[in-house]
Amino acid sequence: MHGSAHGTLWEPHRYPSALGPFLRFTWQEAEAQSRSGVMLLVRERVGGRWASPARIGDGSGAGTWWWGSSEQRDRVQITPAAPPPPPPPSSLPLPTTTPRRLCSRLAAPGPSLRTTSPRSLYSSHVPRKASLASGATRAMAAAVAAWAQRLAGVRGVLLDVSGVLYDSGDGGGTAIPGSVEAVARIKRSGLKLRFCTNESQKSRDKFVGLLQSLGFDISVNEVTSPAPAACQLLKERGLRPYLLVHDDVRSEFDGMDTSNPNCVIIADSGDSFSYQNVNEAFRVLINMENPVLISLGKGRYYKETEGLMLDVGPYMKALEYACDIQAEVVGKPAPEFFQAALKEMGVEAHEAIMIGDDIVNDVGGAQRCGMRALQVRTGKFRPCDEHHPEVKADGYVNDLAEAVDLILQYANK
């Protein structure tokens, strides 16, 4: 429970119970009860706005129970209201009994008293307990079946890094709460694991060193990233690149011939995306009969601790437009990138699941390769991602820790 000026904000996904993960979904059927004599006003957050308050509960019990199965709402505001007004004066002594018995005792003088009883004030808003219980059971069963179907048979997990494990930023960045232990749990479970990243501001050695300093159990040979794949492509095709890349990733291209370039490699160059550097890349391409532009990913933006940052995609698109060409993407969402990761893991696409914060490059790219994919509500996630016109994740989870909870619960069912 978290107190607030307006009452109590309950985030049930942080308080697991016997219902397990199903407390995280829409509260389609609910029975709210509080201490005797207290009425509850409940508001549901839908689409970023609070719906009109609805008064529920009979004020006769203790505790608050919620059930649900959908994925549209994720929190409930519970605000104590004033207790019901006292009954009108009566010659009868006030009984010390439950509100229900009080109603029946006070009903004798006439029907007008009956309308002032606490139960009648909001009885029309509360379904019978039996109906609620059966509805809750059906909702739980439906949610169990849905997640069991989505996650059954998973043998391998592919993890995006930035926005899923950590948020980059000054000083190296910060681990997302629960992600360090979530990675450790995957490894202890025996599931195959691969880290799939479009990171192109650091070499793999520096990148892995940073993650290790944040507490993650990770090694270089567990990481699939675009720079090594790009180097292999350059060697196979005899290409000499002009490198529009970050200084910290240039070491990945050591040994490559960069004289008299006949292609351009573009990556997330950060401050190196100056007009001079981008224009030089344009000149290399526009003067070629068959321009070759190779992009290490095509992300639009990513999240750092201070906010969202432009990724390589917008700069790639600028060169595509200026030169009237189409870039070859090495990295997510290219099918070859995911296929290489699956090969390293030794699992088939239908046995693997991708977890990422990018609805297009992580989720959409994996699904096009035959994998399942979950989107986390961390990193670059935005609420509109859940209503993307072209890509629908197999599930939406609050963070990596929640995703791992679900996978470990249902992968073997």
Side-chain angles (χ1 to χ4, degrees), residues 47-275:
R49 296 178 297 176
W50 289 105
S52 300
R55 182 183 295 161
I56 65 176
D58 63 8
S60 63
T64 304
W65 297 86
W66 301 93
W67 301 280
S69 63
S70 183
E71 300 174 356
Q72 298 301 316
R73 309 163 194 162
D74 59 0
R75 58 181 61 181
V76 175
Q77 181 81 16
I78 304 176
T79 307
S90 171
S91 59
L92 296 174
L94 290 177
T96 55
T97 182
T98 64
R100 184 172 184 176
R101 294 178 62 188
L102 176 62
C103 296
S104 63
R105 296 268 305 268
L106 294 176
S112 60
L113 286 176
R114 190 183 304 263
T115 62
T116 65
S117 69
R119 183 176 180 86
S120 64
L121 282 173
Y122 38 83
S123 60
S124 61
H125 296 280
V126 184
R128 296 181 63 85
K129 291 184 179 181
S131 298
L132 281 171
S134 61
T137 301
R138 290 194 299 270
M140 288 171 55
V144 169
W147 279 111
Q149 183 177 14
R150 294 169 189 169
L151 301 176
V154 168
R155 292 183 51 232
V157 179
L158 290 78
L159 294 182
D160 181 30
V161 179
S162 178
V164 177
L165 272 59
Y166 87 118
D167 287 324
S168 59
D170 293 339
T174 58
I176 293 172
S179 59
V180 172
E181 176 58 21
V183 170
R185 292 180 64 198
I186 294 174
K187 291 196 169 187
R188 290 196 299 266
S189 73
L191 292 171
K192 301 290 184 66
L193 176 62
R194 194 78 185 165
F195 300 93
C196 299
T197 178
N198 277 353
E199 171 63 47
S200 58
Q201 283 198 0
K202 301 177 184 68
S203 67
R204 282 181 301 167
D205 289 336
K206 289 184 178 180
F207 186 53
V208 168
L210 167 63
L211 293 172
Q212 290 173 341
S213 71
L214 295 176
F216 291 98
D217 180 6
I218 183 175
S219 60
V220 172
N221 60 10
E222 293 177 301
V223 177
T224 299
S225 64
C231 289
Q232 183 63 32
L233 183 65
L234 295 174
K235 292 176 182 177
E236 291 174 353
R237 294 164 59 176
L239 296 173
R240 302 179 303 276
Y242 171 80
L243 296 173
L244 183 53
V245 301
H246 196 280
D247 288 343
D248 287 346
V249 83
R250 285 183 177 272
S251 61
E252 295 276 13
F253 297 91
D254 286 346
M256 300 300 302
D257 183 4
T258 58
S259 63
N260 190 23
N262 57 3
C263 75
V264 169
I265 294 284
I266 184 172
D268 180 10
S269 301
D271 293 338
S272 295
F273 274 135
S274 65
Y275 175 82

